[in-house]
Amino acid sequence: MKILAIESSCDETAAAVVEDGTRVLSSVVASQVAVHHVYGGVVPELASRKHVEAIVPVVREAVESAGIHRSELDAVAVTQGPGLVGALLVGFSYAKAYAWGLGIPCVGVNHLEGHMSSIFLGDTPPEFPYVALLVSGGHTSLYYVTGPTEYELMGQTRDDAVGEAYDKVSKMLGLGYPGGVVIDGLARKGDLKAIAFPRPYLDKKAFDFSFSGLKSAVGRHLKDYPDPDEVRLHNIAAGFQESVAEVLCHKLIYAAKVKNCRHIAVVGGVAANSRVRAMVGDAAARRGLSFHTPELKYCGDNAAMIGAIGYHRFVEGSALGLNDDAYSRARLPSNTKHK
């Protein structure tokens, strides 16, 4: 079963063709980082306009690169939410029209489900059940996953998402956007113990997160040491990143213990962070846990992950009508389970 997947929730216009929810025939991503870099973050109106410019060539390239004709597609899957509503509207409207023109179903999926399905695009997917830490620019959550479309929310951020905290700290340091890659690179050259920023656990036996206090601690440090030299800059990055990684690692490992679960995963854009991957990997190895994370190219926003979850939603019989709106499937429920 071949599914054309489209993703436009933020600042990447992406399309992919995925077979049976696991085999990626093509994956194309048009990034807007250069457009938004000068503003220190994503400008929603600019993002929407760039999606309009990119959507047709990106989808065309995805189908051609897959080596198939569009008539061979069985369905179209598209991100329905959450995300920037103007950006979502571009991909969502195009997907519905594309499917209608071919006379095939269009399936709307949740962006977060896509991230959690990204680990099934590799050669060694986890077994069910597993605990997933979803960390990105807009989301920081822990889920207990018992099936392809079955999740239990265990905890989430009360304020800043991890990726958002990275971007804001990067802006404080004058490093620009996006902050995750820049801080990760600087931190590798820094002394992890030189600056002891607080570890915002909130409660070590609970699963919610909060990173606004850590962000404020970096701000206070910069008031005491304005215009840091290169060495201090590296140490600030290392200290900040170490604090983030320790909190994320602790909560994930503790969640697996509570659920008596042998498999854990880190997904989302921050899953590409070298320190988070290393720390969680080491902690999992010491405890005999099986640790899974997507290939780097599937950590950030991409359409292949939308095709992965879109396959399961299509098999379940989910399909959009022409009058359905973007964002109506905005977020995974915060109650017990979602099926």
Side-chain angles (χ1 to χ4, degrees):
M1 185 179 294
K2 298 178 179 65
I3 293 181
L4 169 68
I6 296 174
E7 151 66 22
S8 67
S9 64
C10 192
D11 61 338
E12 280 91 16
T13 311
V17 177
V18 179
E19 187 173 64
D20 295 335
T22 57
R23 183 175 175 229
V24 181
L25 303 184
S26 67
S27 180
V28 180
V29 180
S31 176
Q32 300 178 14
V33 168
V35 174
H36 302 286
H37 176 78
V38 294
Y39 301 101
V42 177
V43 180
E45 176 63 20
L46 287 178
S48 301
R49 291 177 181 272
K50 288 298 178 182
H51 284 308
V52 171
E53 294 175 8
I55 189 69
V56 173
V58 164
V59 170
R60 182 184 297 122
E61 183 180 347
V63 175
E64 291 176 354
S65 298
I68 64 171
H69 188 268
R70 59 180 178 271
S71 61
E72 298 177 64
L73 294 168
D74 296 289
V76 177
V78 62
T79 303
Q80 194 168 0
L84 302 176
V85 67
L88 284 167
L89 185 61
V90 177
F92 188 75
S93 300
Y94 188 84
K96 287 198 300 179
Y98 197 97
W100 181 81
L102 292 177
I104 59 177
C106 185
V107 181
V109 302
N110 185 288
H111 180 78
L112 306 187
E113 287 186 280
H115 275 304
M116 282 191 283
S117 296
S118 62
I119 52 175
F120 294 98
L121 299 174
D123 296 329
T124 56
E127 297 177 11
F128 295 108
Y130 65 90
V131 176
L133 173 66
L134 196 163
V135 276
S136 67
H139 307 278
T140 300
S141 308
L142 270 171
Y143 289 95
Y144 180 56
V145 186
T146 55
T149 60
E150 299 175 4
Y151 321 98
E152 176 188 341
L153 178 65
M154 298 184 68
Q156 59 190 340
T157 183
R158 297 183 183 181
D159 40 60
D160 292 351
V162 173
E164 182 183 4
Y166 265 91
D167 287 340
K168 289 179 177 178
V169 168
S170 178
K171 194 170 185 177
M172 290 180 195
L173 297 174
L175 302 175
Y177 170 88
V181 175
V182 179
I183 290 179
D184 192 10
L186 292 179
R188 296 177 193 182
K189 304 174 184 177
D191 181 349
L192 299 177
K193 299 180 180 180
I195 304 172
F197 288 117
R199 270 52 172 170
Y201 291 107
L202 294 180
D203 181 344
K204 282 196 170 185
K205 293 187 177 182
F207 304 113
D208 279 355
F209 301 88
S210 173
F211 294 101
S212 61
L214 175 59
K215 178 188 65 181
S216 298
V218 175
R220 289 192 297 271
H221 183 86
L222 289 173
K223 284 186 178 180
D224 294 335
Y225 301 94
D227 301 320
D229 60 19
E230 186 175 349
V231 173
R232 182 170 294 277
L233 193 63
H234 292 164
N235 290 343
I236 292 172
F240 166 77
Q241 180 159 277
E242 193 71 1
S243 176
V244 169
E246 283 188 16
V247 172
L248 293 178
C249 182
H250 169 81
K251 301 264 183 180
L252 175 58
I253 297 297
Y254 184 67
K257 179 181 178 181
V258 168
K259 290 295 185 180
N260 193 26
C261 187
R262 287 190 56 255
H263 299 273
I264 61 173
V266 180
V267 299
V270 182
N273 181 273
S274 65
R275 187 58 181 153
V276 172
R277 291 170 82 102
M279 189 179 291
V280 174
D282 290 344
R286 290 196 302 271
R287 292 164 176 81
L289 301 177
S290 176
F291 172 47
H292 304 266
T293 191
E295 293 181 52
L296 291 177
K297 62 184 176 182
Y298 298 133
C299 288
D301 291 350
N302 65 90
M305 68 183 193
I306 301 303
I309 185 60
Y311 165 79
H312 294 287
R313 289 297 177 191
F314 176 62
V315 169
E316 290 178 347
S318 176
L320 294 168
L322 285 177
N323 292 326
D324 286 331
D325 296 325
Y327 227 88
S328 57
R329 193 177 173 80
R331 61 181 68 231
L332 291 174
S334 58
N335 53 11
T336 54
K337 290 188 177 181
H338 170 62
K339 293 185 178 180

